[in-house]
Amino acid sequence: YKLFNMKASEQALKDNPKAMKITMTSSGVSSTKSGYGFSASFKESNDKEALAELYRLIWSFDKYGFSKANLELVKKQILSSNEKSYKRVSDIRSSSIANRLISNAQSGSIYIDYDYDYNLTIKLTNDIRLEEINGLYREIFKIKDRAILFINTTGDKIPDEEILNTISKAKNNTTDYTKIDKLPTELLEHPLPTTTIISKSFDKNSSIYNYKLENNITVAFKQTDFSKDLIQVKGFSFGGDSLIEASQLDNALKASAWVGKSAPGKFTAIELKKMLSDKKVSVSTYISRFGEGVNGRGSSEDIDTIFELLFIKITQPKIDNRIAKNAKKLLKSNAEQASRNPKYNFGKELTQFYYKNHPRIQYDTIKSIANLDNQKMLDIYIDRFSDMNNFHFVIIGDIGTEAVERVITKYLGNLPTNDRDETYIDRKYDYVKGTQSFVRHFSHDDIANITLNYKSLLPYTMHNKTALSAMTSILNVRLRNLIREEKSGVYGISVSTNIRRELKDKANARISFRSDPKRKDELIIAIKEAITKLKKDGVTPQELATYREKFTVEYKTSMRDNRYWLTMIMNSHKFDTPMNDMLNLPKTVESIVSEDVQRIATHIFGEDILQAELLPKSR
């Protein structure tokens, strides 16, 4: 099915596909029987056309078979995945081993150790012949026990004869996929010169290396063994779409996604996908409200591929007209579907009300999608990534300093920079202040969806942030016990809080729950009374002790997690927070007392409160 799915995924990248996704799957029906499935997902009126595309593929491989070149690609991919999995054997969780043992017991198969599994996979993969694959596919296709399940969103019934006729016609419109074009072999046309590291330091407390390159890009690197054979990369600069005027904001919001789907430089999306098929690497760029950035990850042995891909995505962007055309079509279909979604319509009207129809808060419409401009998107993308002067990169994972210094001087050191010095603009999002209520009877379900949203100002310090975390955790427990357990009043309840450091210490708290509509008022009163009690009496020593215990477990786990370190190091740079402050977090947690939680609760649960209610339609 890997061969089938390889070609099927390419169809979605071609001009005007009717099927959004086509797949072949195999799965166990019982402990002794397996089943095979083919599926196609589609948008709105493309039902029969998507079915025809699916069956054209099915018939094509039945008639012509698979290509030898694609088989070699898949074998290479399997062997590469086997190699990488074997290197990470020590990272396998106990739960995964338990699941494997249970699966073996249920199927009556033999449990083999990882060394044997690794070597057996190599032998069996190398022994696979094209005639066997084509023969197996044709045997599967001959199975007479089959069912065709046709589901659409309109509720319209399509006659069986029409479906069978569509399938039959597809047989006469097949394509021979055994002939494929030769793939490029290199991501970069020409080798890059090695640049210079102009400063290097090492922080003993955090074990982080800090570099500055001659083009002014800065890099932080931490070597870890938390996940074997894995590295992660993150780059960031302040600016983002806050620097873009509202008239071009929609182009800015979609620019990085459309560039990303198009594949950089001379490559097509299909070529790039095949070139990277045997490597576990991914690189993506983004433009957000306050900045632009890049994220990458992959196997340690593929570090050069990660940075080559990063380099060409930044320096050789393009928007493929065919990709853009398909993306527009999908956006239009999504916009039409969203307009029929009660939760979407509720959220849209709520946001427009709360933020007074702010021009920078935009939603897709048929008109706005039609007005998207490929060249303007590309211009915005190039502008945001043409000057990497303010970029800071973090590299973390199972790799040594020698390899890191080699790739940063070769790839990051050759990224374009100039003397532009910029940061983001705080575009003021005025909102309706005071106590506000927003109620809509949009829901099809007999459930009330309630949100209490509080806005406030809370200066960011590690102490305040930690006290806020303690308050959030304790209030979550209190409301869960009170509202869900004692009153049996909700299907679920959650408390979330945040201080947005980019917005000069603006904070918010959000309490959400779902309940029987008849009980919503009673539960809202109970929640507000719980908040009043928290502000008046604080928390108990036992609640603080429980929070500290929970924090200790989570912190120990986080300190062995690459993603946590990646975020912590990047935030240290973005907000000029000393790493020692972050490393001393356990001491800060120990210092939190009831009065701190009380003070934070008083700050964050202030006078600016929006009570939003999505209720069932009136009957």
Side-chain angles (χ1 to χ4, degrees):
Y1 61 88
K2 285 181 179 291
L3 282 165
F4 183 95
N5 290 336
M6 176 187 286
K7 186 56 64 176
S9 66
E10 294 174 12
Q11 302 312 298
L13 298 173
K14 293 189 173 180
D15 192 32
N16 196 28
K18 303 301 180 183
M20 294 169 54
K21 187 177 183 181
I22 294 175
T23 54
M24 176 186 178
T25 57
S26 64
S27 58
V29 178
S30 68
S31 59
T32 58
K33 292 185 182 293
S34 293
Y36 303 90
F38 297 90
S39 65
S41 57
F42 57 89
K43 286 289 184 182
E44 296 296 328
S45 60
N46 291 333
D47 41 19
K48 292 194 293 294
E49 291 87 348
L51 181 67
E53 280 188 1
L54 169 64
Y55 267 90
R56 278 197 292 272
L57 269 181
I58 293 173
W59 291 118
S60 293
F61 293 125
D62 180 59
K63 181 177 181 179
Y64 299 106
F66 297 100
S67 73
K68 183 173 179 59
N70 277 346
L71 175 60
E72 292 306 312
L73 269 177
V74 167
K75 289 169 74 171
K76 191 177 178 183
Q77 181 182 350
I78 292 170
L79 291 171
S80 175
S81 179
N82 183 51
E83 191 72 30
K84 290 174 172 59
S85 296
Y86 186 62
K87 287 180 178 179
R88 296 176 187 167
V89 165
S90 60
D91 291 339
I92 295 175
R93 294 180 178 273
S94 300
S95 57
S96 298
I97 298 173
N99 288 335
R100 186 176 173 184
L101 288 167
I102 291 170
S103 177
N104 286 127
Q106 289 175 335
S107 63
S109 56
I110 300 171
Y111 183 91
I112 57 178
D113 66 30
Y114 292 104
D115 289 337
Y116 192 89
D117 188 301
Y118 166 74
N119 290 307
L120 182 62
T121 299
I122 294 173
K123 182 180 185 307
L124 293 177
T125 302
N126 286 328
D127 286 347
I128 294 172
R129 293 179 294 115
L130 186 62
E131 311 87 77
E132 293 176 315
I133 295 290
N134 288 331
L136 176 61
Y137 179 83
R138 288 171 180 135
E139 285 299 314
I140 291 171
F141 199 50
K142 288 177 184 177
I143 296 173
K144 292 182 179 180
D145 293 334
R146 65 179 71 179
I148 299 174
L149 180 63
F150 209 111
I151 303 172
N152 61 26
T153 58
T154 61
D156 298 332
K157 179 173 173 56
I158 301 176
D160 293 351
E161 305 80 40
E162 203 170 330
I163 293 174
L164 295 173
N165 188 44
T166 300
I167 293 171
S168 180
K169 282 184 178 179
K171 190 173 184 178
N172 301 319
N173 192 14
T174 56
T175 302
D176 183 358
Y177 293 115
T178 59
K179 300 180 181 66
I180 62 172
D181 296 328
K182 188 176 180 180
L183 287 174
T185 56
E186 302 292 337
L187 288 174
L188 292 177
E189 288 187 74
H190 306 290
L192 298 171
T194 299
T195 61
T196 304
I197 295 172
I198 61 174
S199 70
K200 173 183 175 180
S201 62
F202 179 70
D203 180 59
K204 291 181 180 180
N205 291 333
S206 60
S207 298
I208 294 172
Y209 289 89
N210 292 287
Y211 303 95
K212 186 172 184 178
L213 306 179
E214 63 180 79
N215 60 356
N216 208 41
I217 287 175
T218 53
V219 184
F221 164 62
K222 181 176 175 64
Q223 183 176 13
T224 69
D225 59 358
F226 309 148
S227 296
K228 294 294 183 183
D229 193 40
L230 177 68
I231 59 171
Q232 291 176 264
V233 181
K234 188 175 185 66
F236 179 83
S237 173
F238 277 123
D241 64 52
S242 73
L243 304 180
I244 309 296
E245 293 305 316
S247 62
Q248 293 303 316
L249 189 58
D250 204 18
N251 284 320
L253 291 172
K254 296 177 174 62
S256 55
W258 289 35
V259 168
K261 291 176 182 177
S262 298
K266 63 184 179 180
F267 306 108
T268 67
I270 292 174
E271 285 175 336
L272 189 63
K273 187 173 183 178
K274 284 190 172 182
M275 289 175 68
L276 301 174
S277 63
D278 65 325
K279 300 180 185 296
K280 288 193 173 181
V281 300
S282 66
V283 174
S284 61
T285 57
Y286 65 90
I287 300 172
S288 64
R289 180 177 174 184
F290 299 110
E292 48 276 331
V294 55
N295 293 308
R297 63 179 286 134
S299 169
S300 303
E301 66 185 31
D302 294 325
I303 186 171
D304 278 275
T305 303
I306 295 169
F307 280 88
E308 284 177 359
L309 191 56
L310 182 154
F311 184 84
I312 61 174
K313 278 180 176 280
I314 290 174
T315 61
Q316 301 173 39
K318 72 172 187 290
I319 292 181
D320 185 311
N321 287 331
R322 181 172 53 190
I323 296 289
K325 182 180 176 182
N326 292 342
K328 273 192 175 184
K329 183 180 177 183
L330 182 59
L331 280 177
K332 287 179 180 177
S333 178
N334 289 341
E336 289 169 352
Q337 286 191 357
S339 66
R340 299 192 294 269
N341 185 320
K343 287 188 177 180
Y344 173 85
N345 289 326
F346 176 78
K348 179 179 177 180
E349 288 193 19
L350 172 64
T351 303
Q352 289 172 335
F353 160 77
Y354 195 43
Y355 289 102
K356 303 179 180 180
N357 289 306
H358 196 287
R360 298 187 71 83
I361 299 176
Q362 302 178 2
Y363 293 86
D364 284 340
T365 64
I366 300 303
K367 182 179 179 180
S368 72
I369 295 166
N371 288 337
L372 290 170
D373 188 305
N374 293 352
Q375 189 57 52
K376 288 179 180 176
M377 283 189 198
L378 188 57
D379 290 344
I380 290 170
Y381 183 94
I382 291 171
D383 175 69
R384 291 292 81 222
F385 290 97
S386 62
D387 174 19
M388 307 291 286
N389 180 55
N390 297 307
F391 258 78
H392 180 71
F393 284 85
V394 178
I395 304 169
I396 189 165
D398 188 18
I399 198 81
T401 54
E402 185 178 338
V404 167
E405 290 174 10
R406 177 175 58 79
V407 295
I408 65 174
T409 53
K410 186 175 182 181
Y411 301 106
L412 300 187
N414 280 291
L415 289 173
T417 60
N418 58 42
D419 295 329
R420 186 169 69 179
D421 189 17
E422 63 185 15
T423 186
Y424 62 92
I425 298 174
D426 181 3
R427 307 272 186 175
K428 305 297 182 183
Y429 282 43
D430 191 22
Y431 64 94
V432 184
K433 297 176 177 61
T435 301
Q436 302 292 333
S437 177
F438 187 87
V439 181
R440 291 291 185 274
H441 293 267
F442 284 172
S443 181
H444 298 305
D445 303 319
D446 190 29
I447 296 174
N449 293 270
I450 311 297
T451 300
L452 305 178
N453 193 67
Y454 294 81
K455 280 189 178 293
S456 59
L457 288 177
L458 181 64
Y460 184 94
T461 64
M462 287 301 291
H463 194 83
N464 278 351
K465 175 66 175 175
T466 306
L468 179 63
S469 174
M471 186 216 74
T472 306
S473 178
I474 292 169
L475 185 58
N476 256 312
V477 173
R478 283 190 178 186
L479 292 182
R480 186 169 64 245
N481 291 338
L482 173 66
I483 307 299
R484 194 177 73 182
E485 305 300 335
E486 290 181 25
K487 293 184 177 292
S488 301
V490 298
Y491 303 109
I493 187 165
S494 67
V495 182
S496 60
T497 57
N498 183 43
I499 305 174
R500 197 63 191 259
R501 298 176 73 178
E502 295 93 343
L503 296 178
K504 297 180 180 177
D505 305 322
K506 289 180 181 174
N508 73 283
R510 181 185 179 92
I511 301 174
S512 302
F513 68 88
R514 301 167 71 238
S515 73
D516 181 340
K518 296 183 181 68
R519 299 193 61 194
K520 68 176 181 67
D521 293 331
E522 164 203 351
L523 298 174
I524 291 170
I525 291 171
I527 290 169
K528 290 181 177 180
E529 287 176 348
I531 291 171
T532 300
K533 180 176 173 55
L534 177 64
K535 291 159 71 172
K536 179 184 177 184
D537 301 332
V539 295
T540 67
Q542 182 57 49
E543 285 176 318
L544 278 176
T546 301
Y547 166 71
R548 291 187 185 114
E549 289 173 8
K550 178 186 174 186
F551 165 82
T552 301
V553 172
E554 292 176 349
Y555 185 74
K556 285 181 179 178
T557 302
S558 296
M559 293 297 281
R560 297 284 301 172
D561 187 319
N562 282 341
R563 291 170 300 179
Y564 180 79
W565 276 97
L566 196 70
T567 301
M568 187 163 59
I569 296 169
M570 183 57 77
N571 283 343
S572 172
H573 172 82
K574 284 167 67 174
F575 303 112
D576 198 24
T577 304
M579 279 299 301
N580 281 345
D581 286 3
M582 298 185 173
L583 296 175
N584 287 330
L585 192 54
K587 290 182 180 178
T588 307
V589 170
E590 285 297 323
S591 72
I592 298 298
V593 295
S594 177
E595 289 76 13
D596 293 320
V597 177
Q598 248 181 299
R599 175 177 55 82
I600 291 296
T602 302
H603 262 289
I604 206 156
F605 293 115
E607 299 301 319
D608 285 348
I609 172 174
L610 172 66
Q611 182 171 309
E613 303 180 21
L614 172 58
L615 304 177
K617 288 185 175 181
S618 302
R619 296 181 182 178

